[in-house]
Amino acid sequence: MTQAQLAQTDAPLLAVRDVSVVFGGIVALNGVSFDMQKGQILGLIGPNGAGKTTLFNCLSRLYQPSSGDILMEGHSILKRPPHRIAEIGIGRTFQNVALFPNLSVLDNVRVGTHARTSSDIISDSLRLAWIRRSETSVNTKVHEILAYLNLEEVAHKTVSGLPFGTQKRVELARALAADPKILLLDEPAGGLNHEEVHVLGDLIRRIRDDRHVTVLLVEHHMGLVMSIADHVVALNFGRKLAEGTPAQVQADPDVIKAYLGSKDQ
Ligand SMILES: Nc1ncnc2c1ncn2[C@@H]1O[C@H](COP(=O)(O)OP(=O)(O)OP(=O)(O)O)[C@@H](O)[C@H]1O
Ligand SMILES: [Mg+2]
């Protein structure tokens, strides 16, 4: 292997470089940098108002950093609009589930394949009609994902009638249908009970292991982050407070102080 190839292997999949976001007078993020390595589950934690969602929204391109850069496989993503990040391998779920409530589980997941199979301007509904008729390879893949996430039984049910936990799994299925390299998860444990959180943790790990998806997990549920993350980045008041293994971050005096001083936990 040449030196250049070696350097490429070591290069982070995603690099956050000195990112700041200012809203009016509020500095929501202040010079935050960290790397995500391929295959990592990276937990992003911090008390309320720390800047987690702001950073997540920069990664999914909903917010534009005031300064700094975000690189995916060495290339800046900052000129890319939100609807064009799936095609470079960034997938996401939403904190409050953003599915088409009146469509079936199957059709919601079919729509997810759009991102990687077409970059034209056909609307989701037109495309859906087309997929339903003809695209067997897409359908095979969608059924594989539904089976993988244990959703086959509800494939033909309308999403709006399903329990919240199941809807979240459908959202995960939709994100996976676009074959992401990185999956951005915004508080996936929110609204789930203890047992469901445990199942979710296993599932996220399984997705990383089986499908080689790198995961960024923004999460308040400390138990979940500490049990599945390989690497943790802690934010407070828009700055990076600490990063390291879950054990290192959990023992960090600044992190302990930040959490004791907040209403979290
Ligand atoms: N669109 C916005 N306009 C103005 N200020 C914002 C906006 N989004 C976030 N902020 C501010 O930026 C700071 C960081 O907020 P952010 O939502 O990123 O925190 P968070 O870590 O996600 O908090 P939480 O744990 O409560 O979800 C806060 O002071 C918040 O009020
Ligand atoms: Mg938030």
Side-chain angles (χ1 to χ4, degrees):
M1 207 181 259
T2 66
Q3 201 61 37
Q5 281 170 326
L6 272 176
Q8 216 170 16
T9 318
D10 291 333
L13 181 58
L14 186 101
V16 176
R17 292 277 175 269
D18 207 18
V19 167
S20 295
V21 176
V22 183
F23 296 113
I26 298 169
V27 183
L29 279 181
N30 195 344
V32 172
S33 299
F34 63 88
D35 287 346
M36 275 189 83
Q37 304 300 337
K38 196 162 183 289
Q40 229 174 23
I41 297 178
L42 188 144
L44 185 63
I45 63 165
N48 290 117
K52 304 181 295 295
T53 298
T54 303
L55 182 57
F56 188 95
N57 286 338
C58 289
L59 294 173
S60 59
R61 301 294 304 115
L62 292 182
Y63 290 172
Q64 186 70 3
S66 313
S67 61
D69 206 351
I70 298 171
L71 309 169
M72 172 78 176
E73 298 181 311
H75 303 286
S76 178
I77 67 167
L78 296 188
K79 290 200 174 64
R80 223 163 241 284
H83 65 275
R84 296 205 48 205
I85 59 158
E87 65 197 57
I88 55 164
I90 301 178
R92 66 164 299 179
T93 63
F94 293 81
Q95 199 165 346
N96 297 310
V97 177
L99 295 165
F100 297 106
N102 299 321
L103 288 184
S104 68
V105 168
L106 192 60
D107 283 345
N108 267 280
V109 179
R110 277 170 170 155
V111 168
T113 62
H114 182 159
R116 292 307 282 269
T117 52
S118 158
S119 57
D120 58 32
I121 52 165
I122 302 175
S123 76
D124 285 340
S125 57
L126 279 177
R127 168 149 180 97
L128 198 49
W130 181 60
I131 293 173
R132 275 182 183 145
R133 278 199 310 275
S134 60
E135 213 180 344
T136 29
S137 66
V138 167
N139 283 323
T140 307
K141 179 180 170 183
V142 166
H143 280 287
E144 183 269 319
I145 291 169
L146 290 179
Y148 185 74
L149 292 180
N150 221 353
L151 288 166
E152 270 184 320
E153 271 177 28
V154 295
H156 297 283
K157 293 222 159 98
T158 303
V159 156
S160 61
L162 297 172
F164 187 64
T166 310
Q167 292 190 17
K168 289 199 134 184
R169 235 167 43 245
V170 177
E171 228 198 350
L172 207 47
R174 185 174 64 176
L176 287 180
D179 279 334
K181 293 177 184 166
I182 292 191
L183 192 55
L184 309 174
L185 301 176
D186 194 6
E187 304 217 16
L192 301 185
N193 66 34
H194 185 74
E195 177 54 27
E196 287 170 330
V197 170
H198 189 73
V199 171
L200 176 73
D202 283 348
L203 184 60
I204 294 172
R205 235 192 322 222
R206 218 154 40 85
I207 288 171
R208 187 271 305 272
D209 295 343
D210 301 345
R211 311 182 84 91
H212 311 293
V213 177
T214 304
V215 179
L216 180 99
L217 175 67
V218 172
E219 190 50 73
H220 263 294
H221 197 290
M222 211 52 82
L224 176 64
V225 175
M226 294 303 168
S227 64
I228 70 166
D230 308 295
H231 194 78
V232 176
V233 172
L235 300 178
N236 195 25
F237 296 118
R239 288 178 186 275
K240 186 172 78 178
L241 200 57
E243 76 170 298
T245 63
Q248 283 168 341
V249 170
Q250 223 167 359
D252 188 287
D254 289 337
V255 173
I256 294 168
K257 210 166 107 195
Y259 274 94
L260 287 177
S262 80
K263 296 191 293 293
D264 289 9
Q265 292 291 302

